[in-house]
Amino acid sequence: MLPYEHKINYYETDKMGITHHSNYVRFMEEARVDFLDKIGWSFDKLEEQGIVSPVLAIECNYKKSTKFADIVKIEVKIEKLAGLKMVISYTFRLGDDVVCTASSTHCFLDLNGKPVFIEKTYPDFFAALKATMEEA
């Protein structure tokens, strides 16, 4: 699957001219939304089906700096998928250099906030996620 691309905007940089670390969490969300679109399960479709997937945890490991106008490619991969939770990994690249590795952990809830076992309740969505794990 093609990685998501994000061009660093001037407002995303700090006084030192590098991308402020807090923006990487936003970039993760952009890449996650793009990933879901590519597998046919957009956020709109998920919400229409009654599924929400809030973030439970985020981890970022910064390796190198990026700056204004850099184009960062973000590879998204499902690392774990079981029961109520999913872990997604992100690899941020600038050219051949890895600039950040990250992960986000999510759970699955219905629109009333109750836990949902997607494998049983939404088998098509579960299969689409699982298929991406097998491609990698």
Side-chain angles (χ1 to χ4, degrees), residues 73-90:
K73 293 183 179 183
I74 306 167
E75 299 162 6
V76 177
K77 181 180 174 191
I78 305 294
E79 289 293 327
K80 294 180 187 173
L81 179 64
L84 298 168
K85 289 186 184 179
M86 166 176 67
V87 177
I88 303 174
S89 68
Y90 309 83

Side-chain angles (χ1 to χ4, degrees), residues 21-30 32 58 60 62:
H21 67 277
S22 65
N23 288 300
Y24 284 80
V25 174
R26 289 191 0 215
F27 303 159
M28 290 165 66
E29 183 169 342
E30 291 174 14
R32 186 169 60 253
I58 296 273
C60 290
Y62 305 101

